[in-house]
Amino acid sequence: MRPSAPTPTADPLPYDTWTGASSDPRARVALSPTAVAGFDALLHELHPDATRVEPDRLHRLINWLLTLPDETAHDVLERRLRRIDELRMMLLDPDWDSDPAMAARLGKLFDYIDRDDDLIADHEPLLGLLDDVLLIELAWPAFASEADEYRDFSAYRSEEHPTGSGDEQRAAWIRDRLAEIALWRHKLRVNDSHYVHRGHPEDPFKVV
């Protein structure tokens, strides 16, 4: 079975699964086919394997968001937008070294997020941030691995206070994490050796 793609939060948006409807008049927001096509093109620049963005799917997602209590709907948006803040910190951190291709993709993502006149104008109540959030959601696999590594490096830096340049701090982080993995594997081997089956005559699963 194909593993699911990483998402910025533990509860993925129901972009492909929700089929309900909302009576909220905001659900009738107009989506320009040209703007939808441009959004889809940008998404696939960021993450070529992303699912396609289509007007019908977008309207279903809009309907879903409008069925949620206001507090829940805002939480859905804000938790994903916080991941953008983490990506900005990663790109600007002098101790981290995103490669040029990653930096270029992040720049394109930020350019879209920072625009007011995007697929759904940012001034639209609640819905104005939904396209930004959807871009984060669907493009996330392109950033997930490095974002997780940066989060771990940031935690290590805060806890261990490594000295030296950014290169030296990252080297210390990698060295210490590899040492932790080696210790964990050693403990596993030791524990496994305690449960080797030796053919006890009365209880074949008893450790002797």
PDB file of all heavy atoms in Angstrom, residues 5-28:
ATOM      1  N   ALA A   5       1.043  10.843   2.058  1.00  0.00           N
ATOM      2  CA  ALA A   5       2.001  11.942   2.017  1.00  0.00           C
ATOM      3  C   ALA A   5       1.976  12.692   3.343  1.00  0.00           C
ATOM      4  O   ALA A   5       0.931  12.787   3.994  1.00  0.00           O
ATOM      5  CB  ALA A   5       1.649  12.880   0.869  1.00  0.00           C
ATOM      6  N   PRO A   6       3.112  13.245   3.755  1.00  0.00           N
ATOM      7  CA  PRO A   6       3.116  14.026   4.994  1.00  0.00           C
ATOM      8  C   PRO A   6       2.268  15.281   4.860  1.00  0.00           C
ATOM      9  O   PRO A   6       2.153  15.860   3.779  1.00  0.00           O
ATOM     10  CB  PRO A   6       4.600  14.370   5.183  1.00  0.00           C
ATOM     11  CG  PRO A   6       5.211  14.249   3.829  1.00  0.00           C
ATOM     12  CD  PRO A   6       4.437  13.188   3.120  1.00  0.00           C
ATOM     13  N   THR A   7       1.658  15.684   5.961  1.00  0.00           N
ATOM     14  CA  THR A   7       0.835  16.882   5.983  1.00  0.00           C
ATOM     15  C   THR A   7       1.321  17.784   7.122  1.00  0.00           C
ATOM     16  O   THR A   7       1.954  17.321   8.072  1.00  0.00           O
ATOM     17  CB  THR A   7      -0.647  16.531   6.201  1.00  0.00           C
ATOM     18  OG1 THR A   7      -0.773  15.668   7.348  1.00  0.00           O
ATOM     19  CG2 THR A   7      -1.221  15.812   4.988  1.00  0.00           C
ATOM     20  N   PRO A   8       1.035  19.085   7.043  1.00  0.00           N
ATOM     21  CA  PRO A   8       1.572  20.010   8.054  1.00  0.00           C
ATOM     22  C   PRO A   8       0.975  19.828   9.444  1.00  0.00           C
ATOM     23  O   PRO A   8       1.538  20.302  10.421  1.00  0.00           O
ATOM     24  CB  PRO A   8       1.244  21.397   7.485  1.00  0.00           C
ATOM     25  CG  PRO A   8       0.149  21.172   6.501  1.00  0.00           C
ATOM     26  CD  PRO A   8       0.354  19.799   5.952  1.00  0.00           C
ATOM     27  N   THR A   9      -0.170  19.172   9.546  1.00  0.00           N
ATOM     28  CA  THR A   9      -0.773  18.868  10.841  1.00  0.00           C
ATOM     29  C   THR A   9      -1.214  17.411  10.834  1.00  0.00           C
ATOM     30  O   THR A   9      -1.217  16.754   9.791  1.00  0.00           O
ATOM     31  CB  THR A   9      -1.992  19.765  11.135  1.00  0.00           C
ATOM     32  OG1 THR A   9      -3.018  19.457  10.179  1.00  0.00           O
ATOM     33  CG2 THR A   9      -1.636  21.237  11.048  1.00  0.00           C
ATOM     34  N   ALA A  10      -1.601  16.919  12.004  1.00  0.00           N
ATOM     35  CA  ALA A  10      -1.984  15.504  12.109  1.00  0.00           C
ATOM     36  C   ALA A  10      -3.349  15.213  11.491  1.00  0.00           C
ATOM     37  O   ALA A  10      -3.681  14.044  11.258  1.00  0.00           O
ATOM     38  CB  ALA A  10      -1.982  15.082  13.582  1.00  0.00           C
ATOM     39  N   ASP A  11      -4.131  16.243  11.211  1.00  0.00           N
ATOM     40  CA  ASP A  11      -5.474  16.040  10.658  1.00  0.00           C
ATOM     41  C   ASP A  11      -5.544  16.681   9.270  1.00  0.00           C
ATOM     42  O   ASP A  11      -5.792  17.874   9.142  1.00  0.00           O
ATOM     43  CB  ASP A  11      -6.538  16.647  11.581  1.00  0.00           C
ATOM     44  CG  ASP A  11      -6.225  18.082  11.971  1.00  0.00           C
ATOM     45  OD1 ASP A  11      -5.043  18.466  11.935  1.00  0.00           O
ATOM     46  OD2 ASP A  11      -7.163  18.820  12.296  1.00  0.00           O
ATOM     47  N   PRO A  12      -5.322  15.914   8.215  1.00  0.00           N
ATOM     48  CA  PRO A  12      -5.296  16.481   6.856  1.00  0.00           C
ATOM     49  C   PRO A  12      -6.616  17.140   6.475  1.00  0.00           C
ATOM     50  O   PRO A  12      -7.692  16.741   6.947  1.00  0.00           O
ATOM     51  CB  PRO A  12      -5.030  15.252   5.976  1.00  0.00           C
ATOM     52  CG  PRO A  12      -4.440  14.234   6.893  1.00  0.00           C
ATOM     53  CD  PRO A  12      -5.053  14.481   8.229  1.00  0.00           C
ATOM     54  N   LEU A  13      -6.542  18.138   5.633  1.00  0.00           N
ATOM     55  CA  LEU A  13      -7.753  18.740   5.086  1.00  0.00           C
ATOM     56  C   LEU A  13      -8.493  17.702   4.239  1.00  0.00           C
ATOM     57  O   LEU A  13      -7.861  16.946   3.497  1.00  0.00           O
ATOM     58  CB  LEU A  13      -7.410  19.942   4.208  1.00  0.00           C
ATOM     59  CG  LEU A  13      -6.773  21.154   4.889  1.00  0.00           C
ATOM     60  CD1 LEU A  13      -6.399  22.198   3.829  1.00  0.00           C
ATOM     61  CD2 LEU A  13      -7.708  21.764   5.909  1.00  0.00           C
ATOM     62  N   PRO A  14      -9.824  17.670   4.300  1.00  0.00           N
ATOM     63  CA  PRO A  14     -10.585  16.677   3.521  1.00  0.00           C
ATOM     64  C   PRO A  14     -10.779  17.113   2.073  1.00  0.00           C
ATOM     65  O   PRO A  14     -11.895  17.135   1.547  1.00  0.00           O
ATOM     66  CB  PRO A  14     -11.912  16.620   4.288  1.00  0.00           C
ATOM     67  CG  PRO A  14     -12.098  18.006   4.811  1.00  0.00           C
ATOM     68  CD  PRO A  14     -10.708  18.487   5.169  1.00  0.00           C
ATOM     69  N   TYR A  15      -9.680  17.433   1.415  1.00  0.00           N
ATOM     70  CA  TYR A  15      -9.743  17.997   0.060  1.00  0.00           C
ATOM     71  C   TYR A  15     -10.344  17.007  -0.933  1.00  0.00           C
ATOM     72  O   TYR A  15     -11.056  17.393  -1.857  1.00  0.00           O
ATOM     73  CB  TYR A  15      -8.334  18.406  -0.372  1.00  0.00           C
ATOM     74  CG  TYR A  15      -8.260  18.987  -1.761  1.00  0.00           C
ATOM     75  CD1 TYR A  15      -8.874  20.202  -2.054  1.00  0.00           C
ATOM     76  CD2 TYR A  15      -7.581  18.329  -2.781  1.00  0.00           C
ATOM     77  CE1 TYR A  15      -8.814  20.750  -3.330  1.00  0.00           C
ATOM     78  CE2 TYR A  15      -7.513  18.866  -4.053  1.00  0.00           C
ATOM     79  CZ  TYR A  15      -8.134  20.067  -4.322  1.00  0.00           C
ATOM     80  OH  TYR A  15      -8.082  20.596  -5.588  1.00  0.00           O
ATOM     81  N   ASP A  16     -10.060  15.734  -0.748  1.00  0.00           N
ATOM     82  CA  ASP A  16     -10.535  14.720  -1.694  1.00  0.00           C
ATOM     83  C   ASP A  16     -11.695  13.890  -1.164  1.00  0.00           C
ATOM     84  O   ASP A  16     -12.172  12.999  -1.859  1.00  0.00           O
ATOM     85  CB  ASP A  16      -9.390  13.766  -2.061  1.00  0.00           C
ATOM     86  CG  ASP A  16      -8.368  14.425  -2.973  1.00  0.00           C
ATOM     87  OD1 ASP A  16      -8.789  15.073  -3.944  1.00  0.00           O
ATOM     88  OD2 ASP A  16      -7.169  14.291  -2.707  1.00  0.00           O
ATOM     89  N   THR A  17     -12.130  14.139   0.059  1.00  0.00           N
ATOM     90  CA  THR A  17     -13.073  13.205   0.677  1.00  0.00           C
ATOM     91  C   THR A  17     -14.406  13.814   1.070  1.00  0.00           C
ATOM     92  O   THR A  17     -15.400  13.094   1.160  1.00  0.00           O
ATOM     93  CB  THR A  17     -12.436  12.578   1.936  1.00  0.00           C
ATOM     94  OG1 THR A  17     -12.047  13.634   2.849  1.00  0.00           O
ATOM     95  CG2 THR A  17     -11.191  11.779   1.568  1.00  0.00           C
ATOM     96  N   TRP A  18     -14.467  15.115   1.330  1.00  0.00           N
ATOM     97  CA  TRP A  18     -15.711  15.691   1.859  1.00  0.00           C
ATOM     98  C   TRP A  18     -16.689  15.978   0.727  1.00  0.00           C
ATOM     99  O   TRP A  18     -16.320  16.536  -0.312  1.00  0.00           O
ATOM    100  CB  TRP A  18     -15.414  16.971   2.641  1.00  0.00           C
ATOM    101  CG  TRP A  18     -16.489  17.305   3.623  1.00  0.00           C
ATOM    102  CD1 TRP A  18     -16.679  16.758   4.857  1.00  0.00           C
ATOM    103  CD2 TRP A  18     -17.528  18.274   3.458  1.00  0.00           C
ATOM    104  NE1 TRP A  18     -17.750  17.324   5.472  1.00  0.00           N
ATOM    105  CE2 TRP A  18     -18.308  18.257   4.643  1.00  0.00           C
ATOM    106  CE3 TRP A  18     -17.876  19.150   2.436  1.00  0.00           C
ATOM    107  CZ2 TRP A  18     -19.399  19.084   4.830  1.00  0.00           C
ATOM    108  CZ3 TRP A  18     -18.971  19.971   2.619  1.00  0.00           C
ATOM    109  CH2 TRP A  18     -19.727  19.933   3.798  1.00  0.00           C
ATOM    110  N   THR A  19     -17.945  15.598   0.909  1.00  0.00           N
ATOM    111  CA  THR A  19     -18.944  15.757  -0.158  1.00  0.00           C
ATOM    112  C   THR A  19     -20.201  16.484   0.306  1.00  0.00           C
ATOM    113  O   THR A  19     -21.204  16.487  -0.395  1.00  0.00           O
ATOM    114  CB  THR A  19     -19.346  14.382  -0.719  1.00  0.00           C
ATOM    115  OG1 THR A  19     -19.859  13.571   0.362  1.00  0.00           O
ATOM    116  CG2 THR A  19     -18.163  13.675  -1.357  1.00  0.00           C
ATOM    117  N   GLY A  20     -20.162  17.097   1.484  1.00  0.00           N
ATOM    118  CA  GLY A  20     -21.347  17.780   1.994  1.00  0.00           C
ATOM    119  C   GLY A  20     -21.544  19.146   1.356  1.00  0.00           C
ATOM    120  O   GLY A  20     -20.926  19.497   0.353  1.00  0.00           O
ATOM    121  N   ALA A  21     -22.440  19.909   1.952  1.00  0.00           N
ATOM    122  CA  ALA A  21     -22.744  21.249   1.444  1.00  0.00           C
ATOM    123  C   ALA A  21     -22.992  22.187   2.613  1.00  0.00           C
ATOM    124  O   ALA A  21     -23.258  21.754   3.734  1.00  0.00           O
ATOM    125  CB  ALA A  21     -23.955  21.228   0.524  1.00  0.00           C
ATOM    126  N   SER A  22     -22.880  23.473   2.342  1.00  0.00           N
ATOM    127  CA  SER A  22     -23.127  24.492   3.356  1.00  0.00           C
ATOM    128  C   SER A  22     -24.172  25.469   2.833  1.00  0.00           C
ATOM    129  O   SER A  22     -24.186  25.798   1.645  1.00  0.00           O
ATOM    130  CB  SER A  22     -21.830  25.238   3.683  1.00  0.00           C
ATOM    131  OG  SER A  22     -22.087  26.403   4.438  1.00  0.00           O
ATOM    132  N   SER A  23     -25.034  25.929   3.723  1.00  0.00           N
ATOM    133  CA  SER A  23     -26.028  26.934   3.347  1.00  0.00           C
ATOM    134  C   SER A  23     -25.494  28.354   3.497  1.00  0.00           C
ATOM    135  O   SER A  23     -26.184  29.324   3.178  1.00  0.00           O
ATOM    136  CB  SER A  23     -27.288  26.767   4.201  1.00  0.00           C
ATOM    137  OG  SER A  23     -26.970  26.923   5.580  1.00  0.00           O
ATOM    138  N   ASP A  24     -24.269  28.480   3.981  1.00  0.00           N
ATOM    139  CA  ASP A  24     -23.660  29.790   4.181  1.00  0.00           C
ATOM    140  C   ASP A  24     -23.505  30.484   2.824  1.00  0.00           C
ATOM    141  O   ASP A  24     -22.945  29.909   1.883  1.00  0.00           O
ATOM    142  CB  ASP A  24     -22.293  29.622   4.847  1.00  0.00           C
ATOM    143  CG  ASP A  24     -21.723  30.929   5.372  1.00  0.00           C
ATOM    144  OD1 ASP A  24     -21.667  31.897   4.589  1.00  0.00           O
ATOM    145  OD2 ASP A  24     -21.320  30.978   6.543  1.00  0.00           O
ATOM    146  N   PRO A  25     -23.988  31.720   2.689  1.00  0.00           N
ATOM    147  CA  PRO A  25     -23.878  32.417   1.393  1.00  0.00           C
ATOM    148  C   PRO A  25     -22.430  32.625   0.944  1.00  0.00           C
ATOM    149  O   PRO A  25     -22.171  32.803  -0.251  1.00  0.00           O
ATOM    150  CB  PRO A  25     -24.589  33.751   1.641  1.00  0.00           C
ATOM    151  CG  PRO A  25     -24.643  33.911   3.123  1.00  0.00           C
ATOM    152  CD  PRO A  25     -24.715  32.531   3.690  1.00  0.00           C
ATOM    153  N   ARG A  26     -21.488  32.603   1.869  1.00  0.00           N
ATOM    154  CA  ARG A  26     -20.083  32.769   1.493  1.00  0.00           C
ATOM    155  C   ARG A  26     -19.586  31.607   0.634  1.00  0.00           C
ATOM    156  O   ARG A  26     -18.570  31.728  -0.049  1.00  0.00           O
ATOM    157  CB  ARG A  26     -19.213  32.904   2.742  1.00  0.00           C
ATOM    158  CG  ARG A  26     -19.407  34.213   3.496  1.00  0.00           C
ATOM    159  CD  ARG A  26     -18.587  34.244   4.766  1.00  0.00           C
ATOM    160  NE  ARG A  26     -19.047  33.256   5.735  1.00  0.00           N
ATOM    161  CZ  ARG A  26     -18.447  33.007   6.901  1.00  0.00           C
ATOM    162  NH1 ARG A  26     -17.353  33.677   7.222  1.00  0.00           N
ATOM    163  NH2 ARG A  26     -18.939  32.106   7.733  1.00  0.00           N
ATOM    164  N   ALA A  27     -20.306  30.483   0.668  1.00  0.00           N
ATOM    165  CA  ALA A  27     -19.890  29.325  -0.113  1.00  0.00           C
ATOM    166  C   ALA A  27     -19.977  29.589  -1.609  1.00  0.00           C
ATOM    167  O   ALA A  27     -19.396  28.845  -2.414  1.00  0.00           O
ATOM    168  CB  ALA A  27     -20.744  28.109   0.253  1.00  0.00           C
ATOM    169  N   ARG A  28     -20.689  30.643  -1.992  1.00  0.00           N
ATOM    170  CA  ARG A  28     -20.844  30.944  -3.412  1.00  0.00           C
ATOM    171  C   ARG A  28     -19.722  31.844  -3.940  1.00  0.00           C
ATOM    172  O   ARG A  28     -19.869  32.466  -4.995  1.00  0.00           O
ATOM    173  CB  ARG A  28     -22.202  31.610  -3.650  1.00  0.00           C
ATOM    174  CG  ARG A  28     -23.383  30.680  -3.339  1.00  0.00           C
ATOM    175  CD  ARG A  28     -24.697  31.255  -3.838  1.00  0.00           C
ATOM    176  NE  ARG A  28     -25.102  32.439  -3.093  1.00  0.00           N
ATOM    177  CZ  ARG A  28     -25.830  32.406  -1.975  1.00  0.00           C
ATOM    178  NH1 ARG A  28     -26.223  31.228  -1.478  1.00  0.00           N
ATOM    179  NH2 ARG A  28     -26.172  33.509  -1.353  1.00  0.00           N
TER     180      ARG A  28
END
